[in-house]
């Protein structure tokens, strides 16, 4: 991992006072790196350009935004998937605003993400969760394009994953041929899935949906040591819950 301030300080110190200057310059540069959280030249360029560094909770949505835009057009499916991820993370309003801004920032494709992802690679569970969320975004429009696969392979490499390991996650999220909750499914069936009734208030329905989504979210299941088959089952369940919630929300006309 590069520490730009340390390298610059050492170089400037050596030019001024040889080896003792290099040592002092490196110490001062390291203090600057730590204070400004600089871990790569990309981070330094962002700071010099006045662009704020990404928070941990923003990085995911920058990645999702870049994937959504990678084929040139962001679809409604991509937008809905981003919203689904926000709900799954139980984000409050301020966090949602940051996530939306990060998603839009990701669409520009101007961030150097290598340093962020290499740092995240030190947290295996978090890294896997990010890759799984990225595959969910890839399949949001029903297909995985070449550019999307290439991006994920590169990001996986920076996270310390092999291309084979990254691609192996794709099967857990590839859309099945059969619909999970079709238009023919009744309003009553949707309520049964969420465990609510026709008299439940919108706030109760939202709480029930979020509670079930948190319980069955594939990232949580994967983190508990589940098998690939169990992760796929959890993925199907979350889609089923999302579709049921959407049906009830549209019928009851609430947000």
């Amino acid at each position: 991992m590069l520490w730009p301030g340390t390298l610059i300080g050492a170089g400037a110190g050596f030019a001024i006072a040889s080896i003792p200057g290099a040592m002092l310059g490196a110490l001062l540069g390291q203090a600057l790196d730590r204070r400004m959280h600089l871990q790569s030249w990309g981070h330094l360029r962002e700071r010099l350009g006045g662009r704020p560094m990404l928070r941990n909770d923003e990085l995911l949505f920058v990645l999702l935004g870049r994937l959504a835009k990678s084929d040139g057009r962001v679809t409604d499916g991509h937008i809905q998937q981003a919203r689904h991820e926000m709900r799954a993370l139980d984000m409050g309003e301020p966090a949602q605003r940051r996530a939306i801004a990060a998603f839009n920032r990701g669409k520009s494709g101007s961030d150097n993400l290598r340093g962020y992802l290499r740092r995240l690679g030190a947290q295996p569970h978090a890294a896997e969760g990010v890759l799984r969320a990225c595959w969910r975004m890839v399949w949001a429009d029903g297909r995985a394009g070449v550019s999307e696969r290439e991006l994920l392979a590169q990001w996986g490499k920076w996270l310390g994953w092999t291309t084979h390991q990254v691609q192996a996650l794709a099967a857990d999220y590839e859309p099945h041929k059969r619909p999970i909750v079709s238009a023919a499914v009744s309003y009553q069936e949707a309520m049964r899935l969420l465990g609510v009734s026709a008299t439940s208030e919108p706030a109760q329905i939202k709480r029930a949906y979020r509670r079930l989504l948190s319980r069955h979210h594939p990232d949580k299941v994967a983190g508990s040591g589940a098998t690939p088959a169990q992760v796929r089952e959890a993925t199907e369940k979350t889609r089923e819950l999302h579709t049921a919630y959407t049906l009830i929300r549209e019928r009851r006309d609430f947000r």
Side-chain angles (χ1 to χ4, degrees), residues 8-205:
I8 292 172
F14 184 82
I16 295 171
S18 190
I19 293 177
M23 295 175 65
L24 177 60
L27 287 173
L28 294 174
Q30 187 178 69
L32 180 65
D33 284 328
R34 293 184 182 279
R35 182 175 181 81
M36 299 183 68
H37 304 288
L38 299 177
Q39 299 188 41
S40 71
W41 293 109
H43 286 177
L44 179 60
R45 285 193 295 271
E46 287 177 12
R47 283 303 181 91
L48 292 177
R51 191 163 202 180
M53 290 180 60
L54 294 170
R55 295 161 49 113
N56 287 341
D57 61 349
E58 295 169 333
L59 175 60
L60 170 62
F61 289 90
V62 167
L63 297 172
L64 298 182
R66 187 168 297 186
L67 283 171
K69 187 68 173 179
S70 63
D71 283 339
R73 186 173 71 89
V74 178
T75 67
D76 289 340
H78 292 132
I79 300 297
Q80 291 300 322
Q81 184 59 39
R83 290 174 178 166
H84 176 74
E85 297 295 339
M86 291 181 207
R87 287 192 292 269
L89 294 170
D90 198 23
M91 286 184 158
E93 188 173 337
Q96 287 185 29
R97 286 197 296 268
R98 290 196 302 270
I100 291 169
F103 186 84
N104 291 329
R105 176 172 169 174
K107 290 191 294 184
S108 72
S110 58
D111 284 287
N112 184 339
L113 301 172
R114 179 182 302 190
Y116 294 109
L117 292 172
R118 284 185 170 172
R119 182 176 61 185
L120 184 65
Q123 307 170 52
H125 176 56
E128 181 176 347
V130 163
L131 287 172
R132 288 185 177 279
C134 286
W135 275 117
R136 290 194 290 272
M137 178 59 72
V138 167
W139 288 116
D141 61 356
R143 65 187 185 88
V146 173
S147 59
E148 294 165 318
R149 290 182 180 275
E150 288 177 346
L151 275 176
L152 278 176
Q154 181 62 74
W155 295 345
K157 181 179 179 181
W158 292 338
L159 287 167
W161 287 51
T162 67
T163 299
H164 176 74
Q165 288 173 319
V166 174
Q167 295 296 329
L169 295 179
D172 291 342
Y173 304 101
E174 185 173 0
H176 289 262
K177 301 301 181 182
R178 63 178 180 84
I180 295 174
V181 179
S182 70
V185 170
S186 69
Y187 177 56
Q188 294 295 328
E189 176 66 10
M191 288 192 294
R192 185 192 66 77
L193 287 168
L194 295 189
V196 298
S197 69
T199 59
S200 296
E201 294 294 328
Q204 292 176 297
I205 297 171

